[in-house]
């Protein structure tokens, strides 16, 4: 009431449950069709030292209920029309923000786009060193890092291989392992540069030759969503 937020934790949780019930189904582009976003604003009237723990506990409850949110924004209030009585502790704010990024964001991404999920029509935008970054067209699209150079300004289907705190890593969907470069192969989950070199030397590859080059059945078995021969 003091801050005219027009909601409570209970109402917010109810809304998140409703949106998940309708929108968590995966759409044609590989992402859930519709997910909510959350904004946490620190420094509002009525805030106490317990607010930080309450916010984190609320987010943990979402994970406990297997509820998804697309983004979690963490902001400090900026007074415009009046001053607020609360002064944000910068160290406590930073610690809480890092907790949310470490304990919530990564796990939320892992559930939202599991390994092997194909994200269609990812538009490549920029390159930083050997990493190409792209996003799907849409509201708040995920930032996707592809660990090798790709032509910019094109659409690619990308399969998820790993997650960061607020972004994901992926590679081209089901590329031909016999035509792949060293950097493409090393981007496969569980491969790395050493195994990639062995795979390159073993070309031309069939499943058995690849299995022998990798020398780890669990790694080999996990590659089926990513490659063709």
């Amino acid at each position: 009431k003091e801050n005219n937020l027009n909601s409570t934790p209970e109402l917010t949780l109810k809304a998140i449950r409703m949106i998940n019930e309708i929108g968590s189904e995966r759409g044609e582009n590989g992402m859930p069709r519709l997910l909510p976003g959350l904004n946490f604003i620190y420094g509002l009237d009525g805030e106490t030292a317990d607010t930080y723990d309450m916010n984190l506990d609320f987010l943990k409850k979402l994970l406990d209920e297997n509820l998804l949110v697309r983004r979690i924004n963490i902001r400090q209030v900026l007074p415009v029309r009046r001053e607020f009585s609360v002064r944000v502790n910068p160290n406590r704010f930073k610690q809480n923000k890092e907790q949310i990024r470490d304990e919530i964001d990564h796990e939320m991404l892992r559930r939202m786009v599991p390994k092997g999920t194909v994200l269609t029509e990812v538009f490549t935008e920029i390159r930083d060193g050997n990493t190409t970054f792209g996003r799907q067209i849409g509201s708040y699209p995920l930032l996707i890092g592809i660990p090798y150079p790709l032509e910019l300004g094109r659409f690619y289907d990308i399969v998820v291989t790993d997650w960061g705190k607020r972004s994901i890593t992926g590679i081209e969907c089901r590329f031909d392992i016999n035509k792949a470069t060293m950097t493409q192969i090393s981007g496969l989950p569980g491969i790395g540069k050493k195994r990639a070199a062995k795979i390159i030397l073993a070309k031309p590859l069939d499943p058995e030759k690849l299995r022998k080059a990798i020398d780890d059945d669990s790694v080999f078995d996990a590659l089926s969503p990513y490659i063709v021969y």
Side-chain angles (χ1 to χ4, degrees):
K1 291 182 179 180
E2 293 180 58
N3 299 292
N4 195 30
L5 294 179
N6 297 321
S7 186
T8 65
E10 293 75 23
L11 286 175
T12 301
L13 181 58
K14 183 178 180 180
I16 293 171
R17 287 169 177 157
M18 292 173 65
I19 296 172
N20 268 256
E21 184 177 350
I22 297 169
S24 61
E25 178 187 7
R26 204 164 297 282
E28 294 80 4
N29 68 350
M31 287 289 295
R33 293 185 183 277
L34 177 67
L35 293 178
L38 292 176
N39 291 298
F40 288 91
I41 303 174
Y42 291 81
L44 296 174
D45 288 338
E47 181 176 295
T48 69
D50 293 333
T51 301
Y52 297 92
D53 293 330
M54 292 168 65
N55 288 343
L56 186 60
D57 288 343
F58 180 85
L59 292 170
K60 288 180 178 179
K61 184 175 181 61
L62 300 185
L63 292 179
D64 289 342
E65 293 193 22
N66 291 315
L67 297 171
L68 298 176
V69 295
R70 169 59 194 87
R71 70 188 187 281
I72 302 168
N73 293 327
I74 304 168
R75 303 283 188 261
Q76 294 187 56
V77 68
L78 180 63
V80 177
R81 296 181 180 177
R82 65 177 177 86
E83 290 294 324
F84 288 82
S85 60
V86 174
R87 291 292 178 268
V88 175
N89 182 314
N91 292 328
R92 188 69 181 90
F93 175 80
K94 181 180 179 181
Q95 180 188 29
N96 187 248
K97 187 173 183 177
E98 289 176 350
Q99 278 184 294
I100 292 172
R101 298 297 179 233
D102 291 338
E103 299 178 26
I104 306 298
D105 279 337
H106 182 272
E107 179 61 20
M108 196 67 73
L109 274 180
R110 192 185 70 81
R111 298 183 187 190
M112 190 188 313
V113 281
K115 284 184 180 180
T117 300
V118 176
L119 301 178
T120 62
E121 296 191 333
V122 174
F123 187 74
T124 51
E125 299 178 78
I126 60 172
R127 196 179 295 136
D128 184 5
N130 286 325
T131 302
T132 307
F133 291 96
R135 294 179 291 183
Q136 293 175 306
I137 305 299
S139 300
Y140 290 95
L142 284 174
L143 180 64
I144 304 166
I146 301 106
Y148 49 83
L150 283 177
E151 183 180 345
L152 300 182
R154 283 189 54 193
F155 289 97
Y156 295 85
D157 291 346
I158 300 296
V159 60
V160 177
T161 60
D162 205 353
W163 317 272
K165 294 180 182 179
R166 307 202 77 189
S167 62
I168 60 175
T169 301
I171 58 177
E172 292 167 276
C173 181
R174 298 186 69 79
F175 59 73
D176 188 333
I177 189 73
N178 280 301
K179 297 179 181 178
T181 65
M182 176 80 168
T183 51
Q184 286 175 304
I185 294 172
S186 63
L188 289 165
I191 298 301
K193 292 183 179 179
K194 188 174 181 180
R195 277 185 172 144
K198 291 182 179 180
I199 291 169
I200 291 288
L201 292 173
K203 288 183 178 183
L205 295 159
D206 57 33
E208 285 308 310
K209 288 181 71 175
L210 180 59
R211 183 190 296 273
K212 185 176 180 180
I214 292 173
D215 196 27
D216 186 320
D217 285 350
S218 63
V219 174
F220 171 80
D221 292 340
L223 294 184
S224 58
Y226 307 111
I227 62 171
V228 294
Y229 298 89

